[in-house]
Amino acid sequence: MITYNQETQIFKLDTKTTSYVMGIADGKYLGHAYYEKKLDSTDLFYLLRTEEHPFVPSRLEREKLSFLDSFPMEYPFGGTGDFRESCIEIRNMQGQHGLELVYAGHRIYEGKGKLEGLPATWGDHCETLEITLEDACAGIRAVLSYSVFADCDALMRSVKIENTGSEPVYLERVLSACLEMDQEPFEILSLPGSWARERQIHRQPLVTGSFVTESVRGESSHQDHPFLAVLSEDCTQTRGEVYAMHFVYSGNFLAKAQCTQYGTLRMVLGIHPDRFCWKLDAGGSFQAPEAVLVYSDEGLGKMSRTFHDLYRSHLIRGSYKDKERPVLINNWEATYFDFNTDKLIAIAREAAKLGIEMLVMDDGWFGCRENDDSSLGDWTVNEQKLPGGLKVLADEVNRLGMKFGIWLEPEMISPDSRLYQEHPDWALQFQGRAPSLARQQLVLDLSRPEVADAIYDSISRVLQSAHIEYVKWDMNRALADIGSMAFPPDRQGELTHRYMLAVYRMQERLITDFPDLLLENCSSGGGRFDPGMLYYSPQIWCSDDTDAIERLQIQEGTQLLYPLSAIGAHVSDCPNHIVGRVTPFQTRGITALAGTFGYELDITKISEEERKMVPGQIAAYKKYAPLIREGDYYRIASYRENHLYDCYEIVSKDKRQAAVFFVQVLYEPGRRSRNIRLQGLDEQMLYEVDGRRYTGGTLMHAGLLRNRLRGDFQAEVIDIQAVF
Ligand code: DGJ
């Protein structure tokens, strides 16, 4: 529900439990007044503190600079007096910077428009507020959009910049969101990581100065995540305050929290301004990506559930959105590049017998690719490995009763490829400088439509050549040498964003042309796991680290924001290929239930005992898949914090069913049974757990006693069912 009170000049956007409030000061400046618990009044102008020194400019024109430097600006601009972090920076043809964006109008309407070329939330029962700010002198208009869905507690915002002048300008910075608040004893929560160690939850106090999390790698990255949250010091899973921002974008980003001299805090999020410069012709416009804002006064748990609900209902699309995903077996860790049709069929035959539903052929089936040195870009089948091509293999896999899927890496080119021989200029590069190779490959200049189209055509031919029902779209290196052989010098700063737009366009074409295809994004593990990619693929490979214990922290960080149904998780072989750890097969299965379940091993080679466990694991996945896909997530305990065990719970929306997923990492001698306090149940409802009955209140407040599991790396799933 969105309202504008003409008298008080206050905008108020209400979600189920929050209010987001802005006001127009001095008839000109749009200020941020409030984003917290829902309010019923709009008499909130006082929150802008315009009665305090340095007052609004009309009352004290000589102090305009101090006003601009202290006012809680809703969309801050720099160069005219606000020395804090700004959201927008323009360089005009005279080489000058500086803006003063003032209120020019607004409109409130039902629904939500698309963000041209960009991923964004969508859906019915939505209201949008558009506020137009203008700088007549610079010829710049900023249209700020805010949307709220009736069934969701989050707030979406984005901005479109228009050049209303008669000359081009250079947009050097355009961030998507800003939040201002009084500084309290806050902590910052971010999700730093690395390859095979993605999205590690990290908290640190913010007392003074700034905190930055960012990527300039051309992808959202393994190293940082396009997310930032400010938490009250006392914040836990169940209590305390959270102000969170998440970016629906997959390229370079900047997220910053800045303490100011007046004891306030400014948070911003958007496309990273480094190496970004967009030439905006007269009459032209630039659409910045969407940011999602979530406020919770009930700790991190409520924040997670809000993001999960939003992404499940209003971001993920396609025929698999609300459907069970097939249990797959992927041959990467089973064979790496050393496979052929016979080997794959042997794996498929055994897998089919055990109930696995899809074979995914990973990297190495095309060109002359025997290792990662060659052939990216040559999307034709290596007939030496796969005689007769994909059709023969796919048909045989289908005959075994399984679906068939393949791996692709469409954004890359190997210097050792036919494509590179024909089009060396198609790679991103600086003329005259030896390129920075990574995994012996270069990045294609997809900002050139002819390059993106040629690659799309070649992968689309592959997909038409056989019955292929799944694609794993990989991206195995960061962007460097960001130079295009086709773009003029004053447009080279557009490359990384144009690259991202091209990837989005290619994936949009793919899911439009092949509507029943299950697309899984991947980037050298989880290097591009973000809401942007989730708009195109309902699931994303979470990490190359498939060790059941390492995965606990990676998955916990991912679950903080993403629904479990989006998280690619597989059972792999032991000793684990990344960390060398040996864990029980059962524990690997239970850890992989926290996502789209599958196998990443040579099923023909594992022990008979393990093979026998596969049907039971698949049955467990089938049993819990609807709950995991639709239910509410509660984090009960974190191995990252306690160094002993991991525990989370999923509760169905009607609260009649729940399951607790428990992994005991280390066995502790000399302890009594463990008390697990459940969450999210109905206080009065009667539940049955292992044949004993409890009320929801008892399970939540007194807890459930569980005997210690014997040994390290042990796991169990606890089933909770309402009795009546
Ligand atoms: C990185 C992915 O994360 C792996 O699963 C695998 O597909 C390799 N790339 C293949 O090159």
Side-chain angles (χ1 to χ4, degrees):
M1 158 92 157
I2 302 178
T3 49
Y4 175 60
N5 184 329
Q6 177 83 41
E7 213 175 300
T8 55
Q9 304 237 302
I10 282 288
F11 295 99
K12 185 149 97 48
L13 295 93
D14 290 333
T15 67
K16 278 200 269 184
T17 69
T18 73
S19 290
Y20 187 98
V21 182
M22 295 169 276
I24 307 166
D26 217 11
K28 284 165 106 178
Y29 303 103
L30 185 67
H32 180 79
Y34 178 90
Y35 181 38
E36 282 182 38
K37 233 181 174 41
K38 195 166 184 165
L39 301 174
D40 43 24
S41 161
T42 54
D43 185 11
L44 299 164
F45 191 82
Y46 71 97
L47 289 169
L48 293 178
R49 295 181 166 118
T50 57
E51 294 303 312
E52 293 173 24
H53 188 78
F55 306 116
V56 288
S58 63
R59 286 180 58 193
L60 200 61
E61 185 61 39
R62 61 190 287 270
E63 293 300 346
K64 181 168 150 191
L65 183 140
S66 333
F67 167 78
L68 291 176
D69 200 24
S70 56
F71 186 66
M73 206 62 80
E74 175 66 20
Y75 193 67
F77 41 83
T80 46
D82 186 346
F83 297 100
R84 297 163 291 174
E85 196 69 23
S86 78
C87 276
I88 178 167
E89 187 103 41
I90 302 276
R91 177 164 46 90
N92 63 19
M93 292 313 271
Q94 289 69 49
Q96 294 158 346
H97 294 85
L99 280 176
E100 188 176 358
L101 289 168
V102 298
Y103 173 78
H106 75 269
R107 68 183 183 118
I108 296 170
Y109 56 90
E110 288 282 320
K112 180 173 189 288
K114 284 194 164 185
L115 265 61
E116 208 187 315
L118 287 166
T121 53
W122 55 272
D124 297 333
H125 308 297
C126 179
E127 261 190 297
T128 297
L129 162 66
E130 261 180 30
I131 304 179
T132 302
L133 306 178
E134 224 159 10
D135 182 329
C137 173
I140 292 296
R141 186 181 292 146
V143 182
L144 312 182
S145 294
Y146 301 82
S147 298
V148 286
F149 291 106
D151 62 352
C152 197
D153 237 352
L155 183 132
M156 276 56 63
R157 62 180 284 192
S158 64
V159 57
K160 189 174 184 172
I161 307 299
E162 296 167 7
N163 179 356
T164 57
S166 54
E167 286 188 320
V169 295
Y170 293 96
L171 193 51
E172 294 189 330
R173 161 189 286 251
V174 55
L175 305 189
S176 294
C178 176
L179 262 185
E180 292 246 350
M181 63 196 83
D182 282 0
Q183 201 178 332
E184 307 282 343
F186 283 137
E187 287 189 5
I188 293 285
L189 188 152
S190 61
L191 293 171
S194 178
W195 173 74
R197 200 161 39 76
E198 294 88 342
R199 292 172 294 286
Q200 305 286 306
I201 295 176
H202 188 80
R203 281 174 76 157
Q204 66 184 72
L206 182 69
V207 187
T208 175
S210 295
F211 174 89
V212 169
T213 175
E214 63 191 336
S215 167
V216 287
R217 294 167 188 269
E219 58 174 345
S220 45
S221 89
H222 300 87
Q223 290 75 11
D224 285 282
H225 194 71
F227 165 80
L228 185 64
V230 167
L231 320 178
S232 57
E233 238 178 6
D234 64 344
C235 181
T236 64
Q237 282 295 321
T238 51
R239 68 183 151 77
E241 288 188 290
V242 186
Y243 305 81
M245 285 181 166
H246 204 193
F247 203 23
V248 189
Y249 188 62
S250 316
N252 292 349
F253 72 89
L254 170 73
K256 185 167 179 174
Q258 183 185 42
C259 304
T260 78
Q261 59 177 332
Y262 297 115
T264 60
L265 184 79
R266 179 175 277 185
M267 280 170 86
V268 295
L269 174 67
I271 293 182
H272 206 301
D274 279 11
R275 275 156 253 173
F276 172 85
C277 181
W278 194 275
K279 184 174 179 187
L280 209 52
D281 289 319
S285 64
F286 180 89
Q287 176 64 62
E290 182 165 84
V292 177
L293 273 50
V294 171
Y295 166 77
S296 160
D297 59 345
E298 289 171 33
L300 289 164
K302 182 177 171 196
M303 177 204 74
S304 297
R305 289 186 291 280
T306 302
F307 278 117
H308 292 190
D309 284 345
L310 177 76
Y311 294 159
R312 285 189 288 209
S313 307
H314 298 292
L315 186 67
I316 296 174
R317 302 175 296 164
S319 55
Y320 277 98
K321 176 177 178 290
D322 302 314
K323 248 189 7 206
E324 186 179 303
R325 317 288 161 76
V327 176
L328 66 82
I329 183 157
N330 177 304
N331 74 306
W332 179 241
E333 288 192 24
T335 65
Y336 294 102
F337 294 97
D338 183 18
F339 63 86
N340 54 28
T341 300
D342 289 347
K343 254 195 197 176
L344 293 177
I345 292 299
I347 291 176
R349 191 167 294 124
E350 196 54 42
K353 275 197 252 164
L354 301 172
I356 296 174
E357 297 160 314
M358 178 159 75
L359 175 79
V360 175
M361 176 176 63
D362 211 280
D363 192 356
W365 58 266
F366 52 93
C368 336
R369 193 147 162 109
E370 298 297 341
N371 50 43
D372 55 15
D373 281 354
S374 82
S375 302
L376 291 169
D378 297 344
W379 298 112
T380 48
V381 181
N382 179 340
E383 295 240 5
Q384 278 176 346
K385 282 183 171 179
L386 309 176
L390 293 183
K391 184 154 173 32
V392 170
L393 176 58
D395 287 351
E396 188 52 33
V397 172
N398 288 166
R399 253 192 297 281
L400 292 169
M402 294 173 85
K403 294 176 192 290
F404 176 65
I406 60 166
W407 176 98
L408 289 168
E409 192 174 4
E411 299 162 59
M412 300 291 154
I413 180 166
S414 306
D416 181 7
S417 65
R418 257 194 355 260
L419 188 72
Y420 191 77
Q421 276 166 22
E422 287 164 20
H423 300 287
D425 62 313
W426 280 15
L428 288 176
Q429 58 196 277
F430 295 140
Q431 210 164 4
R433 186 195 297 279
S436 300
L437 287 163
R439 215 190 187 207
Q440 200 63 13
Q441 65 196 56
L442 298 172
V443 183
L444 281 165
D445 180 3
L446 295 176
S447 63
R448 291 169 66 173
E450 71 276 23
V451 178
D453 287 350
I455 298 296
Y456 182 79
D457 289 347
S458 65
I459 62 170
S460 138
R461 272 195 298 276
V462 169
L463 296 182
Q464 279 158 7
S465 72
H467 191 213
I468 296 168
E469 298 182 74
Y470 161 104
V471 162
K472 177 178 177 186
W473 179 305
D474 204 349
M475 189 253 189
N476 280 301
R477 61 157 290 174
L479 272 59
D481 306 311
I482 300 166
S484 169
M485 300 300 275
F487 271 64
D490 62 348
R491 289 203 177 271
Q492 295 281 332
E494 299 176 12
L495 272 181
T496 42
H497 182 59
R498 283 193 185 276
Y499 177 90
M500 229 32 267
L501 292 177
V503 172
Y504 290 149
R505 201 177 314 120
M506 288 170 82
Q507 294 210 351
E508 187 67 38
R509 280 183 78 179
L510 189 70
I511 57 175
T512 307
D513 293 348
F514 303 91
D516 294 325
L517 188 77
L518 173 56
L519 181 63
E520 175 155 357
N521 267 291
C522 167
S523 173
S524 192
R528 207 166 55 183
F529 201 125
D530 56 62
M533 299 322 288
L534 204 55
Y535 182 68
Y536 302 93
S537 63
Q539 58 194 58
I540 305 177
W541 183 228
C542 182
S543 176
D544 274 351
D545 195 333
T546 52
D547 171 64
I549 304 305
E550 287 295 305
R551 271 283 180 136
L552 297 177
Q553 300 189 55
I554 300 170
Q555 290 178 181
E556 185 193 346
T558 311
Q559 291 161 351
L560 187 73
L561 304 174
Y562 297 93
L564 278 59
S565 59
I567 301 174
H570 297 167
V571 176
S572 67
D573 206 359
C574 275
N576 180 267
H577 290 200
I578 305 273
V579 297
R581 185 178 284 130
V582 177
T583 52
F585 199 70
Q586 193 210 1
T587 300
R588 283 177 263 158
I590 290 177
T591 305
L593 283 178
T596 66
F597 191 77
Y599 291 85
E600 185 104 7
L601 40 70
D602 189 341
I603 199 104
T604 66
K605 292 201 177 133
I606 59 173
S607 70
E608 196 47 39
E609 194 193 334
E610 289 180 345
R611 229 190 325 269
K612 279 200 189 125
M613 292 168 79
V614 170
Q617 290 183 332
I618 294 175
Y621 165 70
K622 302 257 171 205
K623 175 175 172 190
Y624 293 114
L627 183 65
I628 286 173
R629 204 175 52 244
E630 291 154 20
D632 286 333
Y633 165 81
Y634 293 87
R635 169 63 48 184
I636 309 262
S638 160
Y639 164 55
R640 173 184 54 84
E641 287 170 358
N642 62 35
H643 309 298
L644 290 170
Y645 69 103
D646 185 90
C647 185
Y648 68 91
E649 176 196 8
I650 309 284
V651 182
S652 63
K653 291 276 180 198
D654 64 5
K655 299 192 183 288
R656 299 195 57 79
Q657 195 199 348
V660 173
F661 299 82
F662 178 89
V663 178
Q664 174 176 292
V665 179
L666 293 180
Y667 177 76
E668 289 175 285
R671 295 271 186 234
R672 310 206 70 182
S673 57
R674 188 181 301 286
N675 188 340
I676 301 176
R677 281 168 209 236
L678 302 188
Q679 296 175 36
L681 301 175
D682 182 319
E683 292 265 350
Q684 314 300 334
M685 215 179 263
L686 201 59
Y687 295 93
E688 191 164 295
V689 188
D690 285 342
R692 194 186 186 293
R693 291 181 174 186
Y694 311 78
T695 65
T698 307
L699 288 171
M700 292 193 289
H701 309 310
L704 178 70
L705 297 181
R706 299 300 288 179
N707 288 333
R708 305 270 163 168
L709 303 169
R710 182 99 181 108
D712 296 341
F713 311 142
Q714 303 298 314
E716 64 171 337
V717 182
I718 307 164
D719 216 54
I720 296 144
Q721 296 285 347
V723 176
F724 302 114

